[in-house]
Amino acid sequence: MLITDDFLPVPVPESLSATYLVPVTGLPRVSTKSAVAALAGRIAEPVHGLARQMLDSPLMSVDTRPIGEFPELPPDLLTAFGASEAQLDRLAAASHLVVVQAEYRPGWPPAHEWAARAVAAAVADAVGGDVVDVFGLQFLAPAVALRSLPDERGRIRLVDWVLVPYSSDADGLWFTTKGLRRFGLLELQTQGVPDHLTRAWGAVMTGAARRLLRDWTDGLAGEEVPAFVQLPVLATVTGHDIAVAYGNPEQHGATAPVLLRLELDPATDPDADSFLSLRPPAGHPGPDGRYYAAACATLFAGIQPDVRYARPGDAMSRAIATARAGLDDARARFVAGKLPRESQLVVKYGLPGEDGPEYVWAGVTSWDAPERIVGVSASDAASDPTVRIGSPVVVETSDVVDWALLDGTGVIEGGWTQAVLDAGERPTP
């Protein structure tokens, strides 16, 4: 095996397994094969055929067991990963579990996951129940589980299979992925992420997972399963990677790529998991958190600073007026916690400069007083050396000229002034 400074050898497991549960009250009155047959036309044929084949092979087992024979599923973790009270109530009332398990070799397609999820969803759909993904500790409605399966071209949304939970400590946020081990790859982690990058860095991690998963499965494409796959030490992440991972390839934009260094972080406890850590490239000056903020600013390039200012009556003035008219509603939704899930509110405001105002963006962290916004800068200001990516800022609401909601794909609402700039109408002083 060739080992160089440019590649990191990552061990490959001999086999992979998937386990899904369907809680039921009493014994199910439908056979598994008939339930799977009923999916004809509802999922892509490659997966439907794969599920039928594995169901008839030693690679898959389907058993119905009294619920007491299975280890208790932790309600607190199920809740943390999105379980509703109704789903937990149905689990508590269940007398049996239909247990679907499958095994397969590492590589693409991940037949064990696709087939096991399809069979479990078929059973749950037939009995009017839920699917429990044991690996992800997630409840899935049958329709949701079926939608997550690949289309006729084998494409999936990675966010349906890989989660990105995070926790906080004294050094910032600790992000991990939860789902890459389904495919045999070690989970990713990043530590010391600034608090204001909660949503943005989760999207970056998802995009990085998509890129590394492609490299991983390319390394497993041969007839024989190798002992190691060599992954590039410098992983390249683009806006396209993020958009594809979220199932929106047409929204990828033309952002510059970002480099992240891959490091193996082996577990010291034999019962703990090893990770692949994402870090700034070697030699990057300054703290890691600043690099992560700059990476987010690069990948979500829909919020760029603008040093021009608008002439009265032109398109830019109309854009600013539109943004200001919706500012009160944006604040009300932010304060009430009614913004779309996984979205980030940002505002654009003016800084005084020698040649006129410089307009920069800031992520909103709190907006308790209507006249004052507390946030963090999303860009470096040319006119004020104290305003840097990730630095705290206090913005007077009267100075705001635009606002936008961002998610992993870019701007989903607002950004009227940016639309004018993108259209090529840049008023001059």
Side-chain angles (χ1 to χ4, degrees):
M1 178 181 60
L2 178 64
I3 301 177
T4 72
D5 292 338
D6 297 327
F7 293 92
L8 180 69
V10 179
V12 180
E14 293 182 2
S15 65
L16 300 172
S17 63
T19 302
Y20 289 84
L21 309 176
V22 180
V24 293
T25 302
L27 297 176
R29 297 183 179 182
V30 62
S31 73
T32 303
K33 287 188 176 181
S34 62
V36 172
L39 292 181
R42 297 181 59 189
I43 59 175
E45 180 49 41
V47 180
H48 193 211
L50 176 65
R52 295 198 312 271
Q53 292 171 16
M54 290 196 70
L55 192 56
D56 289 332
S57 78
L59 296 174
M60 178 179 286
S61 64
V62 181
D63 301 310
T64 301
R65 307 179 194 172
I67 196 167
E69 294 183 4
F70 203 88
E72 181 182 5
L73 295 170
D76 53 341
L77 290 179
L78 290 169
T79 300
F81 288 113
S84 67
E85 290 188 13
Q87 289 169 329
L88 293 174
D89 288 343
R90 287 194 291 270
L91 176 62
S95 61
H96 291 75
L97 294 173
V98 179
V99 183
V100 182
Q101 295 181 300
E103 292 188 8
Y104 202 65
R105 57 162 278 177
W108 200 264
H112 59 298
E113 283 286 351
W114 289 358
R117 183 174 287 197
V119 170
V123 173
D125 188 61
V127 302
D130 305 299
V131 176
V132 180
D133 171 13
V134 173
F135 181 91
L137 283 177
Q138 275 191 301
F139 271 93
L140 301 172
V144 172
L146 294 174
R147 283 199 302 270
S148 72
L149 296 170
D151 62 15
E152 64 280 354
R153 294 173 58 185
R155 297 173 301 185
I156 60 170
R157 294 193 333 150
L158 193 60
V159 291
D160 292 329
W161 298 87
V162 177
L163 306 175
V164 186
Y166 63 90
S167 58
S168 180
D169 60 27
D171 297 322
L173 299 177
W174 174 35
F175 283 80
T176 62
T177 59
K178 185 175 179 59
L180 287 177
R181 282 196 294 115
R182 300 180 191 270
F183 311 104
L185 182 58
L186 297 178
E187 302 291 358
L188 306 180
Q189 70 171 359
T190 306
Q191 295 176 293
V193 178
D195 290 351
H196 71 281
L197 297 179
T198 301
R199 295 179 178 88
W201 195 254
V204 174
M205 290 278 286
T206 305
R210 184 257 177 183
R211 173 57 63 97
L212 289 170
L213 186 57
R214 287 193 62 183
D215 294 336
W216 175 253
T217 53
D218 285 348
L220 297 171
E223 292 185 4
E224 299 294 329
V225 177
F228 294 86
V229 167
Q230 297 206 65
L231 296 178
V233 169
L234 284 179
T236 303
V237 183
T238 66
H240 179 69
D241 292 314
I242 296 172
V244 171
Y246 279 82
N248 299 307
E250 70 282 356
Q251 298 182 17
H252 65 82
T255 63
V258 164
L259 292 178
L260 294 169
R261 178 163 49 97
L262 205 62
E263 294 182 351
L264 178 61
D265 186 10
T268 55
D269 184 341
D271 295 326
D273 293 328
S274 297
F275 285 95
L276 293 172
S277 294
L278 296 176
R279 298 282 312 281
H284 167 71
D288 288 0
R290 181 166 182 178
Y291 185 85
Y292 302 145
C296 290
T298 297
L299 291 171
F300 306 114
I303 51 169
Q304 295 297 322
D306 177 43
V307 297
R308 314 299 178 105
Y309 61 89
R311 298 187 304 270
D314 65 12
M316 185 62 76
S317 289
R318 294 192 296 272
I320 293 173
T322 301
R324 289 186 190 276
L327 200 56
D328 288 343
D329 178 67
R331 175 182 179 268
R333 286 188 288 157
F334 174 83
V335 172
K338 293 183 177 180
L339 296 179
R341 291 185 61 188
E342 306 302 324
S343 66
Q344 170 72 52
L345 176 62
V346 295
V347 294
K348 188 178 190 179
Y349 66 103
L351 292 172
E354 292 182 2
D355 298 322
E358 176 186 6
Y359 294 104
V360 294
W361 290 90
V364 178
T365 56
S366 64
W367 200 347
D368 297 333
E371 68 278 4
R372 188 170 295 105
I373 302 167
V374 178
V376 288
S377 182
S379 52
D380 290 343
S383 58
D384 187 340
T386 66
V387 178
R388 290 292 178 264
I389 292 175
S391 63
V393 293
V394 177
V395 180
E396 297 298 321
T397 305
S398 58
D399 293 334
V400 172
V401 297
D402 200 358
W403 59 271
L405 293 180
L406 307 178
D407 69 1
T409 64
V411 178
I412 59 174
E413 183 181 348
W416 293 272
T417 64
Q418 193 66 42
V420 172
L421 297 174
D422 292 342
E425 184 171 342
R426 290 179 174 267
T428 55

